[in-house]
Amino acid sequence: MIRLPLLDHWPPQRFPDPSQALADPPGLLAFGGDLSPERLRAAYAQGVFPWFNEGEPILWWSPDPRCVFRTERLRQPNRSLRRLLLRCGWHVTVDRDFAGVMQCCAAPRNGQPGTWISDEMIQAYATLHARGDAHSVEVWDGDRLVGGIYGVASGRLFSGESMFSRQSGGSKVALLALARLLHAWGCPLLDAQVSNPHLLGLGAEEMPRVEFIAALHQLVLQRMDPAAWREVSPLTATELARLSPALAG
């Protein structure tokens, strides 16, 4: 019988080697511990993330293969997205409403009875955001949030946690803006964690975990100033459609 490591008494910086993750369920590595900023930062820097339903113990994962976007390939909109950008009248901001993006991501989707983004998760990532480790991209139609994405920065790797659309295309615009921003900063990978047909249809690919961890070990050492996120200028969707790959302003 395989015994899953319990993290309750482990130092927050320590996790099992991702190679020890289970094959069934795929990628399950450990359970227990907490969602303190120290543990979350250490988890992402080691290729591990929490994912669990409310009422369950905290479950920690490192799937194989890993789902990733290459920011170089994602930074240009396709024809349909470009048409949307030119006609929608939306605008894009960064770190303007992190809590709002998380709340929208936490709203149950069609056909789903609940959400894994519990109040505990929202508080934990809000604390990370306040410390400069978690960030959001917001898409606005006037004063209304119509799309967004949030996640955690570890050096020059960004781990996307969740995204949402209140209007068709909202999450795609947020993803494009984030990819352009990361590419401009020399961040080659946007971690999407667990593969699914929707993400693959958006341009994600599957990367063997051993390759992902090797890339991660290099990227987390390349520190970035969290203040760079606060200095990104808002832009209209039309500007996003016409911009060169550089987004930072």
Side-chain angles (χ1 to χ4, degrees), residues 13-246:
Q13 296 81 11
R14 183 185 169 204
F15 283 87
D17 190 293
S19 65
Q20 298 176 15
L22 301 182
D24 185 21
L28 182 58
L29 181 65
F31 74 108
D34 55 38
L35 296 177
S36 67
E38 294 75 19
R39 195 179 298 272
L40 285 173
R41 290 180 61 183
Y44 285 96
Q46 295 173 58
V48 179
F49 58 88
W51 185 26
F52 61 100
N53 293 318
E54 193 166 11
E56 295 179 345
I58 300 172
L59 303 177
W60 301 91
W61 304 79
S62 186
D64 186 19
R66 194 76 167 216
C67 186
V68 300
F69 290 98
R70 296 189 185 273
T71 60
E72 163 66 23
R73 299 177 186 174
L74 193 62
R75 63 197 172 99
Q76 296 295 346
N78 57 32
R79 287 185 179 180
S80 62
L81 182 54
R82 186 180 295 276
R83 286 196 296 268
L84 172 65
L85 291 167
L86 291 174
R87 73 170 188 264
C88 66
W90 297 344
H91 66 282
V92 179
T93 59
V94 173
D95 278 357
R96 173 176 161 183
D97 191 0
F98 183 87
V101 170
M102 281 207 73
Q103 291 287 352
C104 289
C105 288
R109 314 295 169 92
N110 290 337
Q112 296 180 352
T115 176
W116 59 272
I117 305 177
S118 63
D119 290 343
E120 181 185 15
M121 292 284 278
I122 291 173
Q123 181 58 52
Y125 285 84
T127 301
L128 275 188
H129 173 64
R131 295 187 177 206
D133 296 308
H135 304 279
S136 61
V137 172
E138 304 91 16
V139 182
W140 303 87
D141 184 359
D143 293 329
R144 181 173 180 262
L145 266 176
V146 296
I149 186 171
Y150 78 93
V152 177
S154 303
R156 294 192 186 274
L157 178 85
F158 190 84
S159 297
E161 276 296 311
S162 186
M163 56 185 176
F164 78 95
S165 289
R166 279 181 169 171
Q167 290 182 215
S168 179
S171 62
K172 293 180 182 179
V173 174
L175 182 63
L176 171 66
L178 176 60
R180 282 194 170 177
L181 177 61
L182 295 174
H183 177 75
W185 284 340
C187 305
L189 296 179
L190 168 52
D191 176 25
Q193 300 176 344
V194 179
S195 177
N196 62 50
H198 176 65
L199 293 175
L200 296 177
L202 293 175
E205 62 184 71
E206 293 181 336
M207 177 183 286
R209 181 173 56 213
V210 64
E211 293 183 17
F212 174 79
I213 296 298
L216 169 70
H217 286 167
Q218 296 298 317
L219 293 171
V220 297
L221 297 177
Q222 301 174 31
R223 303 304 302 168
M224 283 184 54
D225 185 355
W229 291 84
R230 298 193 297 271
E231 296 168 359
V232 178
S233 300
L235 73 159
T236 67
T238 301
E239 291 170 332
L240 182 57
R242 295 174 178 169
L243 273 180
S244 65

